[in-house]
Amino acid sequence: TMKRVHGANGNLFDIHPETFILPGEKESLGRLIKSEISAAANATHRTKSFNSTTAAMSTQGGMWIVKPCASSCGQGIKVMTGQQAAALPKKKKAVVQRYLARPYLIDGRKFDLRIYVLVSGVDPLRVYIHDEGLTRISTAKYTLKNLTNNFAHLTNYSINKNAPNFKAAEFNSNPNAASASNADNDEEDEETPTDNDKADKSKKTPP
């Protein structure tokens, strides 16, 4: 859609995965998946893939991620083969995107980064970037052998907090608490002068 709207400059939007909005684009999705399955079946030479599982998936129309409408927090999101996506009910409302089979990983796990910005003007362009952002990491290591394991394929907190190995991040919600605590400790470490200390000091002080 972005390529169609922006014409020759559509290549600038290659960063966006191929997307279909159902049910309106259900037939277009079906035709694409059918052609890909046919091409994979007739291919005599296959390029080297991420692993054998990815190659096997190509004969099933590749991998797709289905996101239901009017939902949030990862609810209802599913990763499936092209054959399964093409078999979705005709009137089902959803967004279907090509699944990126080779994502960047941290310690073998999927993650996403969120950077918060405020655009206060567009001409001239003025953007403020927040000092802090957010990182979400899946609780299970990434694998293509099990497409139903949302702990491996989704990074949503609402999903991963239910994983048996989930560990909540420890942080101080009050950024001033640490500095205040350190200040209190510093004050406690200072020794209160005794009467003898005062007397010794008075003797050493020149008249």
Side-chain angles (χ1 to χ4, degrees):
T1 301
M2 298 298 288
K3 287 185 178 181
R4 184 171 63 251
V5 172
H6 294 276
N9 296 323
N11 290 333
L12 295 175
F13 299 92
D14 282 348
I15 59 173
H16 194 276
E18 198 167 6
T19 303
F20 295 85
I21 301 176
L22 305 187
E25 298 176 320
K26 179 72 162 55
E27 291 185 4
S28 298
L29 173 63
R31 286 194 299 268
L32 175 64
I33 292 174
K34 184 177 180 179
S35 65
E36 291 188 356
I37 292 176
S38 177
N42 295 330
T44 56
H45 300 286
R46 290 188 172 86
T47 58
K48 186 177 180 180
S49 301
F50 181 46
N51 55 32
S52 58
T53 305
T54 307
M57 288 293 182
S58 65
T59 62
Q60 301 178 49
M63 288 169 289
W64 300 80
I65 184 167
V66 180
K67 305 175 182 180
C69 297
S71 186
S72 62
C73 302
Q75 297 179 8
I77 296 179
K78 295 180 179 180
V79 179
M80 60 182 63
T81 66
Q83 288 178 329
Q84 292 172 325
L88 291 171
K90 292 183 178 181
K91 295 184 179 181
K92 183 177 180 62
K93 295 182 179 180
V95 174
V96 181
Q97 292 180 309
R98 190 179 293 277
Y99 191 58
L100 303 182
R102 301 180 61 181
Y104 288 115
L105 304 174
I106 293 180
D107 192 26
R109 292 174 169 82
K110 289 187 67 175
F111 69 96
D112 66 47
L113 302 176
R114 291 191 175 188
I115 299 176
Y116 298 95
V117 300
L118 170 65
V119 180
S120 62
V122 294
D123 189 14
L125 180 63
R126 181 173 296 172
V127 180
Y128 296 91
I129 303 178
H130 199 284
D131 291 336
E132 297 183 0
L134 175 67
T135 302
R136 302 185 302 178
I137 304 177
S138 64
T139 49
K141 291 200 172 185
Y142 180 68
T143 177
L144 295 176
K145 295 181 179 180
N146 184 0
L147 299 184
T148 63
N149 184 5
N150 283 345
F151 297 143
H153 295 283
L154 303 181
T155 58
N156 302 74
Y157 169 78
S158 299
I159 298 295
N160 284 277
K161 70 178 182 179
N162 298 315
N165 61 329
F166 173 78
K167 291 183 179 179
E170 296 181 0
F171 67 96
N172 195 333
S173 59
N174 183 3
N176 298 321
S179 57
S181 177
N182 292 335
D184 291 341
N185 292 335
D186 292 341
E187 292 178 0
E188 291 177 359
D189 292 339
E190 296 179 359
E191 295 183 358
T192 303
T194 63
D195 292 339
N196 291 334
D197 293 333
K198 293 177 181 178
D200 292 340
K201 185 177 181 180
S202 62
K203 292 178 181 180
K204 297 177 182 179
T205 304

